[in-house]
Amino acid sequence: MTSVMGRLPGRTRGWPGCAVLFLIGAALWAVSTYVPSRMPAWGPYEFSWPIWLAVTLSGLWFQRGLSRLAPVDRPGPWRRIAFWAGLALIYGVTQTGFEYLAQRMFFINRLQHVAMHHVGPVLLALSAGGPAILAGAPGWVRRACDSAPATLFMAFVQQPLVAAFLFVGLFWLWLIPPVHFAAMIDPGLYQVMNWSMAVDGILFWALVLDTRVSPPARVGFGVRVVLAVAVMFPQIVLGALISFATEDLFPYYAFCGRYFPDIDALTDQQIGGLVIWIPPAMMSVLALLLVLNNMRRAGADI
């Protein structure tokens, strides 16, 4: 069997894994759509094909790519653990029963976004798994990533000022009370909000936590240090403004009904403000330490 599989073209060998993922996704979609009461807590509250495919195909391509890369180019064991942990975290806060809670408590919604914008992307950036994913991906994916539009897009969004502005700006944008209310009641806008958090987080932390010197990295270690620290303060300010607010800024949660009725609006808001304030600041400090360590290991100067 091994010899037969070894003679099959790469395109053919990739289909069985994709077919299995599609069948599992179809089963989850069917249960969540037609018999949602039968869905266990670990299953999706609202099944999303884009999230399912993005997460599972990334995992499939990463695992396949490990066997295609030269041993020296493969991520080490700890980086592989970081990859799977980051992928599982993003999936867990969007495609399990956690999503139900995130739509009914402000502080849980904030935990969801911190996981999607900070912790999960930091773990994925630490894994340095991009080359493995591309090595395991179909040819058309690699060609798309190498295309001129994709190259220009990455060059733009990973310009230091643009990257910092998007990272902080999107976090603030979705917490403007009228914008947040609209995003929570509009399913399409809700998906845009969540996708923007995850994608922007991955792009930003991949820029900051790049282990390479510049070039080939986009920016030098000094700029990465500045980025890691600079984005911390606007988030602290935002968290403080929400924590110390004396009125309910986010009436959506009263409108839909809080999951924990004993937690009133202001308490929910205060806890959510602390979630915005403390964990992102801690991730910036951690990122700063990691950048300095990467600089030391590379033997580079600020």
Side-chain angles (χ1 to χ4, degrees):
M1 178 61 73
T2 302
S3 61
V4 172
M5 290 298 292
R7 293 195 299 270
L8 290 175
R11 181 179 300 177
T12 303
R13 289 201 304 269
W15 277 112
C18 293
V20 170
L21 295 179
F22 179 81
L23 290 174
I24 296 173
L28 291 171
W29 168 81
V31 174
S32 67
T33 302
Y34 297 109
V35 283
S37 62
R38 298 291 184 91
M39 182 68 72
W42 52 262
Y45 169 59
E46 293 178 343
F47 180 78
S48 168
W49 274 111
I51 295 175
W52 171 258
L53 292 176
V55 170
T56 58
L57 288 177
S58 294
L60 175 67
W61 295 341
F62 176 81
Q63 193 61 35
R64 183 190 299 162
L66 291 177
S67 64
R68 296 180 178 178
L69 290 175
V72 69
D73 295 326
R74 295 172 190 165
W78 286 109
R79 293 192 182 278
R80 298 184 199 186
I81 292 172
F83 174 83
W84 290 112
L87 207 62
L89 181 61
I90 292 176
Y91 181 84
V93 298
T94 58
Q95 288 293 280
T96 68
F98 190 92
E99 174 77 354
Y100 178 84
L101 299 177
Q103 293 185 16
R104 284 159 179 81
M105 294 298 296
F106 177 70
F107 82 89
I108 298 180
N109 184 270
R110 293 302 87 208
L111 288 171
Q112 181 189 50
H113 276 202
V114 167
M116 295 169 64
H117 199 227
H118 291 77
V119 184
V122 164
L123 289 168
L124 292 174
L126 280 175
S127 75
I133 293 175
L134 286 178
W140 65 268
V141 173
R142 295 193 293 273
R143 289 191 294 273
C145 291
D146 291 335
S147 66
T151 302
L152 290 173
F153 173 78
M154 291 296 292
F156 174 72
V157 298
Q158 289 195 322
Q159 287 288 331
L161 290 177
V162 174
F165 176 80
L166 288 174
F167 187 80
V168 173
L170 285 171
F171 206 67
W172 273 70
L173 171 66
W174 299 115
L175 285 169
I176 298 172
V179 175
H180 188 79
F181 188 90
M184 296 302 294
I185 64 173
D186 184 321
L189 192 57
Y190 181 80
Q191 293 300 321
V192 171
M193 175 177 68
N194 283 348
W195 274 93
S196 70
M197 288 289 95
V199 172
D200 178 64
I202 292 170
L203 291 175
F204 179 81
W205 292 116
L207 174 68
V208 172
L209 297 179
D210 195 332
T211 60
R212 303 168 300 172
V213 297
S214 176
R218 293 187 184 275
V219 296
F221 286 107
V223 175
R224 290 175 238 180
V225 166
V226 172
L227 286 173
V229 175
V231 298
M232 174 171 60
F233 298 105
Q235 294 174 103
I236 291 174
V237 170
L238 178 60
L241 289 173
I242 292 174
S243 290
F244 296 127
T246 56
E247 60 179 304
D248 184 6
L249 300 176
F250 304 101
Y252 161 80
Y253 299 93
F255 173 76
C256 74
R258 284 183 166 79
Y259 185 80
F260 300 113
D262 293 338
I263 299 180
D264 61 57
L266 288 183
T267 302
D268 186 16
Q269 195 166 273
Q270 288 165 356
I271 299 172
L274 291 175
V275 171
I276 296 167
W277 183 340
I278 298 174
M282 293 174 61
M283 296 308 298
S284 286
V285 173
L286 174 62
L288 171 62
L289 296 176
L290 290 169
V291 172
L292 293 175
N293 185 59
N294 289 338
M295 183 177 66
R296 177 189 63 80
R297 295 180 64 181
D301 297 323
I302 293 271

